[in-house]
Amino acid sequence: MRLHLDARLPDCTIATTMAKSQPYPPAPLPQPQRGKRLTSSQSALLALSISALCSISPASRAAQPDTLVLQSPGFRATFDRASGALWEITCDEWAVSFDAPGGRLLAEDFPGGLAKELTAQSCRLSDQCVKVMYRGPDLTCELEWRIENGMLRAKGRLQNQTGRDRAVVLTYELPWAQEGLRFSPSLNSLNLAGDQPKSGSIYPLAALCSKRAAAALAIPPNAPNMFKLVGARKSLALRLYLGLSPDTSRFPNSASFSFLAYGCDPAWGFRDALRRYYAAFPEYYTHHGHGDGLWMFKTSQPRNIEHYKYDQTFALGDLDPTIQRDHAAGVLTFPYMIVGQREIKHLATLPSDYDQAMAAYDRWTPAGTSSARPTKESVAAGDDIYLKEEVASSALKDAAGRYVIAIRNSSWGSNSVTFVTNPNPHLMEDKPGTRTTGAEALARIHGWLARYPAVDGLYVDSLGSAWCGKLDSRRNHFPYSRYPLTFDSAGRPAIHNVIAHYEFLEQLCAELHSQKRLLFANGVYLYAAKEPEYADVRETGRFFLAGLLDA
């Protein structure tokens, strides 16, 4: 679903809705004690200048000739001219002056490395942005700051100079020591920040709040990355877990990233930070649906069909009668697809370990599917005719080179072995004739939409922990990634499969929206894994995927 966290709701409340056709409007907020206001002439100023030529509010850092300023109506950012360090942000009436030395970049090799500050080699104004070049131990980093949509946006690229695999935690830290600071990484969390850091890794935004102002850091919805946000008594920080490898041919030995810095209401913390985030990216948080209703799952017509709105159905046989029934009742029709796994089912016995599972796979043929009752997964996989080709090209492997599998007995497939698959539609695109899960799924979807032009969109199953929450260590998958790698708890680079799913959904979403159709999905939730899912992070969610969904 398109997940919308409502900043106005009581604690612990999550709201989902399809009724709106416009971006979520700013919520009315109470007026707590506030910092100094900018004058109207300052708010109207649109300039890029040296701050010695500008006048700012008394609460702000004194103007100095060694600073650079980015400014637009309602937002102002001040940088150190020599180091590029962010010294101050003023967002509407909220002004936050950071402690010396200002915002800084640190890098540590994972696991066990010490965090070392990167040194600015140059800082300049160009094309209405501040550009800074950093250097560290066998690392360089370019960072470009500009104001976008009432926020300060940084776009960067980290480059590994060693030419070897590397796991780097890149941290951007804002030093800010105030009495009574509170860290707010979620709707129901606005807790006192102490000497022991607190973190959030579910939502890619968090706020640090004083009594008079608040600062927020966030990752944009179009720059997915594996992350952790950290708040302490003296700082707010964003940690990016970047796997660097020579095998990422689109960006060898490097990783691109982006993040946001902005002010928000200290009385509301995360809630106001989230409101501003939604407003900055309306294309991700504008609802395209046609109202609210129940979700119908391949069923005969219920007596209260008027209460339903979404019908998830199988593309089996003739869908036209189902579409006609649904539309007569105001229900939208969505054929079913799953791309995070391919599964051999109805085995004579349940394998007890990996070796037995692979032996069963070697014996298996598509006849095992065609001779049994169709399941939603087999229909989505084209009756499993090309299952072995998809496993060969797309299945995840762990660091030891073994397939990532689940051995299970399900109500629909009985004794089964499930292969977790990478659905990136660009996998093996330079190898004609190679069948991959993502490309085969898109081709099947295109066929359904051509055959049934009245279909309202597509339903994609299982975006939760089972298939998305895995790491892909297959090095021959690395060249096709368009977003940064991450790494496992031992520091070995890998693709997080939630990013591979993002690549699939990003393309499918664009295609469906161009046709005025919707993207519907299941499994958008937060969870804590028993062991770190990547690096040292156990808690995660599906915020980036939710931004691509309509229901």
Side-chain angles (χ1 to χ4, degrees), residues 256-524:
S256 296
F257 60 90
S258 184
F259 62 89
L260 309 166
Y262 56 104
C264 59
D265 190 321
W268 291 87
F270 177 91
R271 293 168 182 253
D272 190 47
L274 182 65
R275 178 178 68 86
R276 293 170 186 269
Y277 183 96
Y278 283 152
F281 300 99
E283 65 274 28
Y284 288 87
Y285 301 106
T286 297
H287 299 302
H288 301 280
H290 308 293
D292 300 326
L294 299 176
W295 169 14
M296 188 158 54
F297 180 81
K298 197 178 185 298
T299 183
S300 57
Q301 179 169 326
R303 279 180 280 183
N304 61 332
I305 194 170
E306 70 275 8
H307 296 151
Y308 287 79
K309 181 58 65 175
Y310 304 96
D311 181 10
Q312 170 208 322
T313 189
F314 302 166
L316 184 65
D318 185 3
L319 283 186
D320 281 328
T322 298
I323 296 169
Q324 293 165 8
R325 178 203 67 182
D326 288 348
H327 288 187
V331 175
L332 306 176
T333 310
F334 297 83
Y336 174 100
M337 174 55 68
I338 186 167
V339 293
Q341 55 100 316
R342 290 294 179 255
E343 184 174 70
I344 59 172
K345 309 172 186 66
H346 312 296
L347 303 177
T349 59
L350 185 67
S352 62
D353 57 25
Y354 181 85
D355 290 338
Q356 287 191 16
M358 294 310 299
Y361 174 70
D362 290 339
R363 294 189 298 268
W364 181 88
T365 69
T369 295
S370 60
S371 62
R373 178 177 57 86
T375 69
K376 59 187 187 300
E377 293 85 2
S378 63
V379 172
D383 297 325
D384 296 334
I385 294 173
Y386 301 115
L387 183 145
K388 283 198 169 181
E389 291 181 57
E390 290 188 34
V391 168
S393 67
S394 307
L396 274 59
K397 290 186 177 180
D398 62 20
R402 290 157 52 111
Y403 285 117
V404 179
I405 64 172
I407 301 171
R408 58 182 185 160
N409 182 286
S410 67
S411 59
W412 58 88
S414 186
N415 298 326
S416 306
V417 177
T418 311
F419 293 80
V420 185
T421 51
N422 178 329
N424 181 347
H426 308 292
L427 277 185
M428 313 300 172
E429 62 186 356
D430 57 342
K431 302 186 186 314
T434 301
R435 297 182 185 276
T436 65
T437 296
E440 285 293 299
L442 285 177
R444 199 162 294 117
I445 289 168
H446 295 159
W448 295 341
L449 298 182
R451 182 178 177 185
Y452 303 108
V455 155
D456 298 286
L458 250 293
Y459 170 90
V460 179
D461 195 14
S462 295
L463 301 183
S465 62
W467 321 128
C468 278
K470 307 297 182 186
L471 293 181
D472 183 5
S473 298
R474 281 184 71 165
R475 300 191 74 87
N476 67 334
H477 286 177
F478 291 3
Y480 305 98
S481 292
R482 301 191 176 200
Y483 294 100
L485 306 186
T486 188
F487 48 86
D488 64 16
S489 57
R492 294 169 295 208
I495 301 167
H496 198 295
N497 213 29
V498 74
I499 301 297
H501 276 74
Y502 185 96
E503 298 211 46
F504 178 85
L505 294 176
E506 183 180 38
Q507 180 167 331
L508 179 57
C509 174
E511 292 182 9
L512 292 174
H513 284 186
S514 72
Q515 303 163 18
K516 307 301 182 184
R517 287 176 160 129
L518 306 178
L519 182 55
F520 177 21
N522 180 39
V524 180

Side-chain angles (χ1 to χ4, degrees), residues 536-549:
D536 57 359
V537 178
R538 293 176 54 251
E539 293 186 332
T540 187
R542 295 294 176 261
F543 194 92
F544 292 122
L545 298 188
L548 299 173
L549 307 179

